[in-house]
Amino acid sequence: MERNIQQALDDVGEIKRILNQTGRDLSNAARLFFLAGAVWAAEGLLQLAGTLLMTVQPAGGVPTLGIRTSAYLISLQAIHWGGWLAVLLMWLCLRRRQKELSRGLGLQLLDIWGCFLVGVTLLERAVSNISAYLTFHKPLQGVPVWYLFLMVSLPLMLFLTGVLTGKRGPSYLAAGWIALSLILLLIPWFELPVEENITMTLSLNTLLCSSLLPGLFLLALGALMMRQREASHA
């Protein structure tokens, strides 16, 4: 009788351990970070390519420039909204899968980051429209308001992830993001030779006006979450 009771207690303890481990499984959150990071990085690279396109006058003249500009804008919108839809659908699917497995840290991270990644794109569109209305006939100077918001909100999300997971990696990423943003803001403008007798004035803070850096940091966060999962299963 005592033997059966002890075996039942051991089985209950094993079940609790498995449920706790499943609840802390961050692989689904990591998959969301990988997808969102890839989308943001691809969009950022296209944005930087568009900066070069708008600066350098092609040999074909204005008509060629107009065609290239139209193709660039269409591609940018396709990546932007197509990526947003892919992130939204993946978030909903991963969230349902995580709820079926266990409600725990994995589900909390999915909820927090899913709302952020999906909502931040909608907020970007709203801010862009409002900025365009308020600055009509007045070109924006420096770093747009939207990216100033991202400079603040992204490290906060990374710090929160570090607190929830009890790991230092996300907090290190947040500190790195803040330091890199400040450095890029302080770097002076410089001239980049493009063709003979043609130079392009650029500053590395142009990177802050694209989604390239946020995308790279999301990819790094996904790698950290996967590494933590492998360590917990080792």
Side-chain angles (χ1 to χ4, degrees), residues 12-82:
V12 171
E14 180 66 15
I15 293 173
K16 291 176 64 177
R17 186 190 66 82
I18 294 175
L19 289 176
N20 182 62
Q21 187 177 32
T22 304
R24 293 186 63 85
D25 186 1
L26 307 180
S27 59
N28 286 330
R31 293 185 181 95
L32 183 65
F33 297 147
F34 281 137
L35 176 61
V39 170
W40 284 18
E43 184 179 354
L45 287 174
L46 189 59
Q47 289 169 342
L48 294 178
T51 301
L52 180 63
L53 174 68
M54 301 301 178
T55 306
V56 180
Q57 177 67 24
V62 176
T64 304
L65 177 61
I67 295 174
R68 291 169 58 183
T69 302
S70 299
Y72 159 73
L73 293 176
I74 293 174
S75 301
L76 186 61
Q77 290 299 313
I79 292 179
H80 183 80
W81 291 110

Side-chain angles (χ1 to χ4, degrees), residues 122-136 140 145:
L122 300 178
L123 181 61
E124 175 194 8
R125 180 56 56 188
V127 170
S128 298
N129 292 338
I130 294 174
S131 298
Y133 175 78
L134 295 178
T135 59
F136 187 62
L140 291 174
V145 175

Side-chain angles (χ1 to χ4, degrees), residues 5 18-19 51 62 65 80 100 110 139 158 167-168 175 180 185 191 218 220 226-227 229:
I5 294 176
I18 294 175
L19 289 176
T51 301
V62 176
L65 177 61
H80 183 80
E100 293 174 353
L110 278 176
L158 292 171
K167 301 297 181 180
R168 297 180 179 179
L180 184 59
L185 281 175
E191 291 186 346
L218 284 178
M226 278 298 187
R227 183 178 178 182
R229 176 179 181 272

Side-chain angles (χ1 to χ4, degrees), residues 13 26 38 66 76 85 98 101 105 116 131 155 159 167 198 200 209 222 227:
L26 307 180
L76 186 61
L85 182 60
Q98 188 69 36
L101 292 175
L105 179 59
F116 175 77
S131 298
F159 273 125
K167 301 297 181 180
I198 298 179
M200 180 172 56
C209 299
R227 183 178 178 182

Side-chain angles (χ1 to χ4, degrees), residues 26-219:
L26 307 180
S27 59
N28 286 330
R31 293 185 181 95
L32 183 65
F33 297 147
F34 281 137
L35 176 61
V39 170
W40 284 18
E43 184 179 354
L45 287 174
L46 189 59
Q47 289 169 342
L48 294 178
T51 301
L52 180 63
L53 174 68
M54 301 301 178
T55 306
V56 180
Q57 177 67 24
V62 176
T64 304
L65 177 61
I67 295 174
R68 291 169 58 183
T69 302
S70 299
Y72 159 73
L73 293 176
I74 293 174
S75 301
L76 186 61
Q77 290 299 313
I79 292 179
H80 183 80
W81 291 110
W84 176 82
L85 182 60
V87 170
L88 173 62
L89 293 177
M90 187 172 189
W91 172 46
L92 295 176
C93 292
L94 291 176
R95 190 179 186 279
R96 183 177 62 180
R97 181 188 303 177
Q98 188 69 36
K99 287 180 66 176
E100 293 174 353
L101 292 175
S102 176
R103 297 173 181 267
L105 179 59
L107 183 60
Q108 291 176 358
L109 283 183
L110 278 176
D111 285 341
I112 294 171
W113 276 99
C115 292
F116 175 77
L117 294 172
V118 171
V120 80
T121 300
L122 300 178
L123 181 61
E124 175 194 8
R125 180 56 56 188
V127 170
S128 298
N129 292 338
I130 294 174
S131 298
Y133 175 78
L134 295 178
T135 59
F136 187 62
H137 294 316
K138 296 180 181 180
L140 291 174
Q141 300 294 328
V143 181
V145 175
W146 156 245
Y147 294 102
L148 291 176
F149 164 77
L150 195 60
M151 286 170 57
V152 176
S153 61
L154 185 58
L156 288 178
M157 293 293 296
L158 292 171
F159 273 125
L160 179 60
T161 302
V163 171
L164 290 176
T165 59
K167 301 297 181 180
R168 297 180 179 179
S171 298
Y172 288 154
L173 283 178
W177 169 264
I178 294 173
L180 184 59
S181 299
L182 293 176
I183 291 173
L184 293 179
L185 281 175
L186 296 176
I187 288 180
W189 294 85
F190 66 95
E191 291 186 346
L192 176 68
V194 179
E195 298 178 5
E196 185 177 358
N197 299 326
I198 298 179
T199 59
M200 180 172 56
T201 302
L202 285 177
S203 175
L204 288 182
N205 64 26
T206 304
L207 292 172
L208 294 177
C209 299
S210 74
S211 56
L212 176 59
L213 286 181
L216 294 178
F217 272 78
L218 284 178
L219 290 174

